[in-house]
Amino acid sequence: MGFDRTRKDFWIRIASAILAVVGIGITTYLVYERFSGGLPTCVIGGGCSTVQKSEWSTVAGVPVALMGLLAYIALLVCALTPWQISVLGAFFVSLLGVLLSSWLTALELFQIHAICEWCVSSALVVVVAFGFSIARLVIFQREASQRPPAAS
Amino acid sequence: MSRNMIIAIVAAAVVVIGVVIGIQVSNNSSSGQSLPLSHFTADVPAVNALLKGIPQSGQVLGKPNAKITIDEYIDYKCPICGQASKTVVPPVITRYVRTGLAKIEIRPLAFIGPDSQTGALGGLAAGQQNRMWYYSELDLRNQGSEKEKWLTPAVAAEIAQAAGCNMAAWNDAFKGQEAVNSFFTIQNQAQTDAVSGTPTFVVHGPKGTDSFSGLVPISRFSQAFLTVAGIKA
């Protein structure tokens, strides 16, 4: 897997990779706290522990934070690889992330009545990553349409 | 890469999220009258701050060799007990229990409703892991309506989880005979102590016993300590 500096999406992939690493950092911390029995520390207020221990923090027993970690790892792999499947994969995973983050943020506001800074940070990261994935998709499509048809 | 492919990806993402939301909503509504766990966890930091570092053994909070023992009779659904938990008990713990002068034993009764007993068994099960005071404080600070049957086994489990109990052990203890035996022992003790309402505090010391009920000021405890132990506190 490699970065092709001649490609137009080079910087987008670099930025996406950085965002994915930030997301991995956030979710790794949340997953660690979850499995070590601790509670995440909130800089402002105490909403992190409330959210992390709420019954909405898992899906069929799987912690949402773990799902987020796997998604960010997938995003990182997509950012580091130049293939069409990576472009589509980044779009799919980041779209999932935006939808799930929106749902979880709504739960925090209207159901749990507590805000987890780590979750909000992750939501912001994934929204920006989604923007990059759309840009990458557009670039990839333009390049594909400008490519001369294969000789028969 | 066709437009149809992108539409298919968006549709797939929407379906996946729909399934995730469906699972979450289904799981969390199947718990019936259960309150959200966040309802109880919100007070975890405050309860931790109040109890951290004080020894707990079964129903007892405080050093075993403390000169004075306070028995606190409560009902987990009693609103006055909830108020006492926020106003009367914290200064008692801070001034007298933390300092080693007194230990306090919580004794849950069941007179408000059948779910009071559910709550009591839950508390006594938590006591088998020496976490009864965490359970009690989280319950009492976050009670539902006295008139509603909110203290279901599911809610008791949520409180126990918020209290940091090992849930496998708690579940066994909650259904076990030991908690039931303790519960009936407490009901008998309440009769012996002539408890007619909750919260009731019975203070024992080397010189005797003193008891009082309701939302009493901290000075009432000082007075009792003087009576039962000759200690000015």
Side-chain angles (χ1 to χ4, degrees), chain B:
Chain B
M1 187 171 0
S2 70
R3 177 167 293 190
N4 286 345
M5 190 184 287
I6 294 171
I7 291 171
I9 289 174
V10 172
V14 170
V15 168
V16 169
I17 292 303
V19 170
V20 166
I21 292 174
I23 291 171
Q24 276 200 320
V25 170
S26 152
N27 284 349
N28 294 334
S29 61
S30 63
S31 48
Q33 297 175 47
S34 134
L35 298 170
L37 185 56
S38 57
H39 188 75
F40 300 102
T41 51
D43 276 321
V44 166
V47 171
N48 272 337
L50 179 66
L51 303 178
K52 195 175 180 184
I54 306 175
Q56 283 190 50
S57 175
Q59 298 161 239
V60 179
L61 176 76
K63 292 180 181 166
N65 58 352
K67 274 190 177 176
I68 295 167
T69 300
I70 305 166
D71 297 328
E72 183 192 4
Y73 288 95
I74 55 113
D75 184 308
Y76 282 118
K77 287 187 71 185
C78 142
I80 307 292
C81 301
Q83 286 182 47
S85 159
K86 293 172 190 163
T87 56
V88 178
V89 174
V92 170
I93 291 175
T94 305
R95 290 191 199 181
Y96 306 130
V97 178
R98 184 172 288 285
T99 55
L101 174 63
K103 58 181 183 284
I104 184 166
E105 178 174 328
I106 195 154
R107 296 182 171 181
L109 301 175
F111 67 88
I112 288 184
D115 51 336
S116 296
Q117 182 172 341
T118 305
L121 292 174
L124 292 163
Q128 291 179 30
Q129 299 178 37
N130 301 325
R131 301 196 75 81
M132 187 169 181
W133 273 88
Y134 286 105
Y135 176 101
S136 302
E137 288 299 309
L138 290 174
D139 175 298
L140 292 168
R141 289 167 185 234
N142 297 283
Q143 294 168 320
S145 165
E146 184 184 9
K147 294 174 183 169
E148 290 172 16
K149 192 182 171 187
W150 59 270
L151 193 38
T152 60
V155 169
E158 288 182 2
I159 301 169
Q161 193 180 345
C165 291
N166 174 315
M167 290 311 291
W170 182 86
N171 275 314
D172 288 343
F174 181 61
K175 295 169 191 159
Q177 192 57 41
E178 192 177 333
V180 175
N181 292 343
S182 300
F183 174 75
F184 285 113
T185 301
I186 292 166
Q187 312 311 302
N188 292 335
Q189 288 170 329
Q191 283 194 337
T192 307
D193 286 336
V195 174
S196 58
T198 54
T200 291
F201 300 93
V202 182
V203 183
H204 306 275
K207 293 185 175 179
T209 297
D210 190 4
S211 66
F212 42 92
S213 302
L215 295 174
V216 294
I218 190 79
S219 57
R220 183 65 186 85
F221 286 88
S222 308
Q223 183 188 330
F225 291 176
L226 197 59
T227 306
V228 305
I231 294 173
K232 280 188 180 179

Side-chain angles (χ1 to χ4, degrees), chain A residues 53 56 58 88 103 140-141, chain B residues 1 5 24 28 37 161:
Chain A
K53 290 204 83 173
W56 299 99
T58 59
L88 293 172
W103 163 245
F140 201 90
Q141 276 201 307
Chain B
M1 187 171 0
M5 190 184 287
Q24 276 200 320
N28 294 334
L37 185 56
Q161 193 180 345

Side-chain angles (χ1 to χ4, degrees), chain A residues 128-143:
Chain A
V128 178
F130 179 57
F132 283 142
S133 78
I134 291 175
R136 195 177 169 197
L137 193 64
V138 170
I139 291 170
F140 201 90
Q141 276 201 307
R142 278 188 190 158
E143 283 184 348

Side-chain angles (χ1 to χ4, degrees), chain A residues 102-115:
Chain A
S102 304
W103 163 245
L104 295 172
T105 303
L107 283 175
E108 287 180 43
L109 288 172
F110 304 114
Q111 182 71 29
I112 305 171
H113 302 295
I115 291 291

